[in-house]
Amino acid sequence: SVITGASHGIGREFALQLAQRGFNVALVSRTASRLAQVAQEIEDLPGVKVSTIQHQIDFASAGKEEWAALQQALEPLDVGILVNNAGLNHDPALFASVSGAEAGAVVSVNSFAPVRVTSIVLPGMIARHRGLILNIGSIVGGAVPLPHMAVYSGTKAFILSWTQALATELATAKTGVDVRAVHLGFVADAMADFVKESAAIPSPKCWVQAALARVGLQGGAGRAFVSNPYWAHAFEEFF
């Protein structure tokens, strides 16, 4: 399995929980020290014997050489699961006050990076006739546009549309590769450090447990190839 944004929060939990299920894990993130820490956590899991690799890349600024290095690291792997989780937010603000550099970074991390990483691992999945791609989306943009979060909202709307189009292509061609947009609301992690865990706001561990439990099941307010696995988030998106 390959997890982007694997150094903390939801990405870290995907790495730990997939390792507990016996999957080897490729950890991809921008902070090498945090990647090493997560790799050590996986190594310390009782009764778990899997392999991990770590690859440091900053999707906000990666150039030709950085992408080539990631491709070289991932292409030889037998990737069964890809979790496109890396994300970048911006503070609520009128679009006109968001700098071009900040807006570009959000688009690069949230929209361009999932497309590029998927293009690296998808040919191998198709050749092996199996694979699962989870694109982590959001109620913001994925369900409703949100003023004052226009760039972030737009990137998540892109994830929804791209996922549905790609999933339809792969299903029609009977490739054996399944693609889902997985929506969420507030989760008590670094992306939303102003909220606290509650029944309606899950921890990353709780949310990832729900996400993995719904793999293979239909759902998402009646939309194809969309899942909203946590009950409170699904309730919010429905209404």
Side-chain angles (χ1 to χ4, degrees):
S1 59
V2 175
I3 299 103
T4 67
S7 61
H8 64 277
I10 288 172
R12 170 183 169 275
E13 276 299 329
F14 267 114
L16 293 172
Q17 293 188 34
L18 287 173
Q20 288 172 323
R21 287 165 169 78
F23 288 92
N24 296 325
V25 182
L27 306 167
V28 180
S29 187
R30 65 179 179 177
T31 309
S33 59
R34 288 184 177 179
L35 287 176
Q37 183 177 347
V38 176
Q40 186 62 53
E41 288 184 80
I42 292 173
E43 185 175 336
D44 293 340
L45 288 171
V48 173
K49 295 186 180 300
V50 298
S51 299
T52 63
I53 67 168
Q54 306 162 45
H55 190 91
Q56 187 273 330
I57 182 172
D58 186 347
F59 290 140
S61 60
K64 182 177 180 179
E65 292 183 0
E66 289 82 2
W67 279 109
L70 181 63
Q71 183 168 350
Q72 186 176 16
L74 297 184
E75 272 190 337
L77 304 179
D78 181 350
V79 179
I81 299 174
L82 167 63
V83 182
N84 281 312
N85 165 74
L88 185 63
N89 207 343
H90 58 83
D91 292 332
L94 294 172
F95 174 73
S97 66
V98 178
S99 72
E102 184 178 17
V106 172
V107 172
S108 294
V109 175
N110 294 359
S111 296
F112 178 76
V115 172
R116 189 69 182 268
V117 176
T118 299
S119 72
I120 292 173
V121 304
L122 181 58
M125 288 181 168
I126 293 174
R128 293 184 292 272
H129 202 70
R130 57 176 172 79
L132 172 66
I133 300 172
L134 300 179
N135 295 322
I136 306 305
S138 175
I139 296 173
V140 173
V144 292
L146 186 63
H148 301 277
M149 295 286 288
V151 181
Y152 179 84
S153 179
T155 62
K156 293 306 182 179
F158 169 83
I159 288 295
L160 172 62
S161 181
W162 171 63
T163 297
Q164 290 180 307
L166 176 60
T168 301
E169 290 179 15
L170 296 174
T172 301
K174 295 179 169 51
T175 62
V177 180
D178 191 15
V179 187
R180 288 288 184 273
V182 189
H183 285 179
L184 76 166
F186 283 128
V187 174
D189 70 353
M191 284 285 285
D193 57 6
F194 52 88
V195 299
K196 295 184 179 181
E197 183 179 348
S198 66
I201 302 174
S203 66
K205 180 178 181 178
C206 184
W207 187 85
V208 171
Q209 287 173 338
L212 292 178
R214 287 202 60 83
V215 168
L217 302 177
Q218 295 299 319
R223 290 174 293 176
F225 309 112
V226 180
S227 173
N228 192 328
Y230 190 72
W231 68 270
H233 297 166
F235 186 82
E236 181 180 358
E237 180 168 354
F238 180 80
F239 283 98

